[in-house]
Structures are given as structure tokens and as C-alpha cells.
Amino acid sequence: MTEHSLWRFSRALHRAINERQYEDLATLLDDDVDWAIYGPIDMFPFLGARRGREAVIEVVKQIAENVRVHRFDRETIMLGVDSASSMMRYSLTSLESNKPISLRIAHFAQFRNGKLRSIRVLLDTFDLVEQALGRPIHLPKMTSLG
Amino acid sequence: MTEHSLWRFSRALHRAINERQYEDLATLLDDDVDWAIYGPIDMFPFLGARRGREAVIEVVKQIAENVRVHRFDRETIMLGVDSASSMMRYSLTSLESNKPISLRIAHFAQFRNGKLRSIRVLLDTFDLVEQALGRPIHLPKMTSLG
């Protein structure tokens, strides 16, 4: 039984972020890969949508300039033949401030011939913003949704 | 082939929220169901973790007092024998203000004997907070993560 594409992709992605070695990752991306990490792109320009291998390598370089992956725990995972989804907890370190950032993420990935064809990532963005600011955002207690 | 537990759960949940009919949902929850919607609970008390059927019905009642589900689109879905994950876009209406709220969510669910045993839901919480406030939160452009 061959290894699921997710594991190779995951190793290559973390190697790209932590060691700034992008070659393995590039070989595991479809030419026309469809990539999106949903979140406030005005504040974090390395979030948002990218299309194609070059654009994805470029944004992973931006991510690598900002954070180091300290550890990650996969809390839930589902594997299909050419697909995978997980809920994960990441412990990151901000490279500029050296502050720890704890982040929950969910991803849905599709592979083709062992290469990443599309990935969608959702983050607990409010939690991320507060940690990046280093202080809580004071907001009214909402009795209803606005 | 029997219907996947996700579909019955999804119908019962939306019926509970929109019609305030909780009986079907209650029969589809494991006695000891483990429920979590990650997000800022100080602002939205109906987010957070709940344990057991009664606590979940109670929190769904709170959700039903706050929003109506206008529509939802499943963008990605993975189904296992007793598990399911999806990335979805919800169009909600805030009942108090009658304002529309558009929300991306990811869920991971586990079933046992057709009943929900656990669910974990991740939201694009910063986007939710801004929509609930009805205005953008002005924040510095971060050159790095804090």
C-alpha cells in the first residue's frame, strides 16, 4: 500500500516553512493548484487565494518569513483515495516577535497523481488576530448576531 | 443502501434552528454527545463546548433565537462509514436586526448507531465578528504575526 499523498505533502510543506527548502513542495503541487486560506488578507497578506505552482511557492515563502511551526496535532482526519481533511492544532512561533501562536485550522485537500490539486483552509481567525495583536479586542457582548 | 447519518442530522438541525422543532434532533443525538463550535464565547454565548443531549438541545435553542438559516452550500464533503466532514457556506439572517450574515464553516462529525457522537465546528470568526458589529475592525497591517 503506498503512502497517502497527504503525508508527503504535509512533510514537504512543513519542511518548506521551517527549513525554507521549497523543492520537495514544488514537485508535489499540480501546475494549476488551487489554494485558499480564508482570513483577513488586509492584515495578513499571506492569507487568501492563490492559483498555480509559482504563486503557491511564493506565498509559502511569505509564510516561512513570518512563522516557524513548533508542533502540530491532528485532532481529526478523514482520508479518501485522492482527498483528505483534518482538524489540527498548530503551535507556531512568530519569527519577528518570537511569540508563541496557537491556532486551530481545518483543511480540505484534493490530490491528483500524488500532487496537490486544491486546498481550502479555515482558521479560527478572531483568535489569530487577538494573538497577533497581543491583546484582546474589546467588543460588546452580543445578545444576538448584530 | 441506507442514508448517511449526516443527512438526517443536517435536516434535523436546520429544522430545529428554523422551525424550533427539537424532537427529531434530540432523537439523533447520543446521550453523551460531545459538541464544540470554536469561537469567541464572551461575545457569542451560544458558541463553545457542550456535553450531553440536554446541553446541546439547550444551545441549539439559543442559536435558534439568534439566527435563521437562509441557505447553505456544501463546498466540499467527505463521508466515512460513521463520520463526515464538510466545508460549507451559510447564509444566515440575524433575527434581531434582520441583517444577512454570510459565514464559512468547517465541521467534523462522528456518528454511532445513527446518532451524533461528536462534532467540532470551526468558523471564520473574524469575518463573523465584523459582520455582527456591522463595521470593519481597524487593525494594523501586520508585517509579521505579532
Side-chain angles (χ1 to χ4, degrees):
Chain A
M1 191 173 165
T2 48
E3 184 185 43
H4 196 284
S5 302
L6 177 67
W7 307 128
R8 269 186 299 160
F9 170 72
S10 174
R11 281 198 305 272
L13 179 64
H14 292 124
R15 186 160 187 236
I17 294 173
N18 279 358
E19 300 170 32
R20 304 189 184 193
Q21 299 293 326
Y22 306 102
E23 299 77 11
D24 288 357
L25 182 61
T27 66
L28 296 176
L29 299 174
D30 188 275
D31 291 356
D32 197 35
V33 57
D34 186 5
W35 168 288
I37 309 178
Y38 300 107
I41 57 174
D42 291 344
M43 199 178 331
F44 305 112
F46 48 86
L47 302 181
R50 298 293 189 280
R51 189 74 188 235
R53 184 186 293 116
E54 273 185 48
V56 168
I57 291 293
E58 196 48 48
V59 80
V60 172
K61 285 182 179 175
Q62 289 174 40
I63 293 170
E65 284 164 15
N66 279 278
V67 296
R68 192 174 199 291
V69 176
H70 184 61
R71 64 175 287 175
F72 63 97
D73 298 301
R74 255 176 239 277
E75 298 179 325
T76 315
I77 182 157
M78 292 189 70
L79 295 178
V81 176
D82 271 327
S83 57
S85 62
S86 342
M87 179 87 86
M88 302 169 76
R89 256 191 104 73
Y90 270 88
S91 298
L92 307 173
T93 305
S94 157
L95 291 185
E96 185 155 294
S97 69
N98 210 29
K99 276 195 304 192
I101 303 228
S102 172
L103 188 61
R104 199 180 299 271
I105 81 153
H107 79 79
F108 290 78
Q110 302 267 340
F111 299 92
R112 182 166 52 196
N113 302 326
K115 297 186 182 210
L116 185 73
R117 191 164 67 86
S118 92
I119 191 164
R120 297 271 172 275
V121 180
L122 201 61
L123 313 175
D124 185 351
T125 43
F126 187 77
D127 191 33
L128 171 64
V129 167
E130 287 198 324
Q131 291 181 67
L133 287 174
R135 58 175 171 80
I137 298 169
H138 294 293
L139 288 171
K141 178 167 174 174
M142 313 297 281
T143 53
S144 78
L145 276 171
Chain B
M1 192 173 164
T2 48
E3 184 184 44
H4 196 283
S5 303
L6 178 68
W7 309 127
R8 272 185 297 160
F9 170 72
S10 174
R11 282 199 304 274
L13 179 64
H14 293 125
R15 186 160 187 238
I17 294 173
N18 279 358
E19 301 170 32
R20 303 189 183 192
Q21 299 293 326
Y22 305 103
E23 298 78 10
D24 288 358
L25 181 61
T27 66
L28 297 176
L29 299 175
D30 188 275
D31 292 356
D32 196 33
V33 56
D34 186 5
W35 168 286
I37 309 177
Y38 300 107
I41 57 174
D42 291 344
M43 200 178 331
F44 305 113
F46 47 87
L47 302 179
R50 299 293 187 281
R51 190 75 189 235
R53 185 187 291 116
E54 273 185 48
V56 168
I57 291 294
E58 195 49 49
V59 81
V60 172
K61 285 182 180 174
Q62 291 175 40
I63 293 170
E65 285 163 15
N66 280 278
V67 295
R68 192 176 198 292
V69 176
H70 184 61
R71 65 174 287 174
F72 62 95
D73 298 300
R74 254 177 242 276
E75 298 179 325
T76 314
I77 182 158
M78 292 189 71
L79 294 178
V81 176
D82 271 326
S83 57
S85 63
S86 337
M87 178 85 85
M88 304 170 75
R89 254 191 107 72
Y90 270 87
S91 297
L92 307 172
T93 306
S94 157
L95 292 184
E96 186 156 293
S97 68
N98 210 32
K99 278 195 301 194
I101 302 224
S102 172
L103 188 61
R104 200 179 299 271
I105 80 153
H107 79 78
F108 291 78
Q110 301 267 339
F111 299 91
R112 181 167 52 196
N113 303 324
K115 299 187 180 209
L116 185 72
R117 191 163 67 87
S118 91
I119 192 164
R120 296 272 172 276
V121 180
L122 201 61
L123 313 174
D124 185 353
T125 42
F126 188 77
D127 190 34
L128 171 64
V129 167
E130 287 199 322
Q131 290 181 66
L133 288 173
R135 56 174 174 79
I137 298 170
H138 294 293
L139 289 172
K141 177 166 174 174
M142 312 298 281
T143 52
S144 77
L145 276 171

